[in-house]
Amino acid sequence: YGGVDVTANIDIDAIPAWETTKGAGVTAVVVDQGVDGSHSDLAGNWDSSIQKNYCSSSTSNPYDSSGSHGTSCAGLLAGGEADGSCGMGVAPDATLSGRRILCSGVTYGDYASSQSDNCDVIDIFSNSWGPTAAIEGCVETGRNGKGSVYFFASGNEATYDGDPNDYPYSRLPQSFSISSVGVTGEPSYYSNFGAAVFAVTPSMGTTTQNGSTVTVGVTAPDQTSSQCNTLGFSGTSAATPIASLSLSLSVYILTLGF
């Protein structure tokens, strides 16, 4: 990607935050189609005691061989500093886990459980999808009484006049709705916008490379073993896990204890 035009300072400014904390003591869970906790970029941070697979009603590794979406999201949250082959996540010292919920046969009760099970020890729930579930209880009682924090993707339907208010949880005042910008700072062409959006973070966008139009995303773990999705993961799905930990690190620094 030599010769790609970018705009300075279109980033989350994580490095200064790392001088204070890299997320140690924070526990984040990715609720998605599946997350491979054995991936080399994730295994060192993984907490299997709170992982869930609602598609099989088990506590097994919430792995789904059909796609890497959840695994990539998890890598952006807390990709391992020890390995780092797919880059480092926003909070590489945070504890990480995952839950598989996007499949046929799950119930509304399963959706609710995916957002509430073990919330006493979970700081952040990162959701790069649009669900219908219940989070109100954990907003008040989770995280040892301080309230679990919920992030949801704003959606990728801007070219069809998409609105984050179309997603039940993006419009809740108890959640943070996240959209994306590209490497030039312009809104990503697909990224939904509207009053429900709380913040944007870098994801995929269009720019030029040696005079030609190119799209550039972010690097994240792929689904298979130690493979990476290099500069290709995109959407508000990518923006949301970046926001989940970057905003939380900011809160941690400001309050000296999250």
Side-chain angles (χ1 to χ4, degrees):
Y1 277 80
V4 173
D5 293 332
V6 299
T7 302
N9 302 319
I10 303 302
D11 58 58
I12 60 169
D13 214 18
I15 293 176
W18 287 347
E19 295 175 0
T20 301
T21 177
K22 290 185 176 181
V26 174
T27 298
V29 168
V30 174
V31 184
D32 209 278
Q33 72 180 123
V35 184
D36 184 7
S38 66
H39 191 287
S40 59
D41 253 31
L42 309 182
N45 302 58
W46 195 258
D47 183 353
S48 60
S49 70
I50 54 175
Q51 68 185 22
K52 303 280 185 179
N53 189 336
Y54 296 93
C55 298
S56 62
S57 301
S58 73
T59 57
S60 61
N61 183 10
Y63 173 75
D64 173 28
S65 60
S66 66
S68 61
H69 188 269
T71 301
S72 295
C73 290
L76 296 178
L77 277 171
E81 186 172 15
D83 179 84
S85 61
C86 300
M88 279 170 49
V90 175
D93 291 347
T95 299
L96 181 66
S97 197
R99 293 178 173 179
R100 185 183 178 203
I101 192 65
L102 302 183
C103 57
S104 61
V106 294
T107 66
Y108 285 112
D110 291 328
Y111 280 116
S113 295
S114 73
Q115 306 294 325
S116 59
D117 285 347
N118 310 109
C119 69
D120 56 326
V121 297
I122 296 172
D123 301 299
I124 297 160
F125 290 81
S126 182
N127 296 267
S128 291
W129 51 285
T132 301
I135 67 174
E136 286 83 357
C138 290
V139 167
E140 296 181 359
T141 64
R143 199 159 52 99
N144 294 317
K146 291 182 285 187
S148 299
V149 186
Y150 291 84
F151 291 81
F152 286 91
S154 296
N156 305 316
E157 296 83 31
T159 55
Y160 304 100
D161 296 322
D163 189 326
N165 284 302
D166 295 336
Y167 287 80
Y169 273 89
S170 288
R171 65 175 180 250
L172 283 181
Q174 300 95 327
S175 69
F176 295 105
S177 180
I178 306 300
S179 287
S180 70
V181 294
V183 294
T184 63
E186 296 295 321
S188 301
Y189 68 88
Y190 51 78
S191 187
N192 288 352
F193 57 89
V197 174
F198 178 79
V200 297
T201 57
S203 175
M204 187 189 79
T206 302
T207 185
T208 60
Q209 181 183 32
N210 300 323
S212 300
T213 300
V214 295
T215 55
V216 179
V218 295
T219 296
D222 211 337
Q223 185 71 305
T224 306
S225 184
S226 60
Q227 293 185 7
C228 308
N229 186 343
T230 304
L231 295 178
F233 191 42
S234 64
T236 57
S237 290
T240 300
I242 292 174
S244 298
L245 266 297
S246 61
L247 290 172
S248 299
L249 289 186
S250 299
V251 171
Y252 181 93
I253 292 169
L254 290 171
T255 63
L256 294 180
F258 192 41

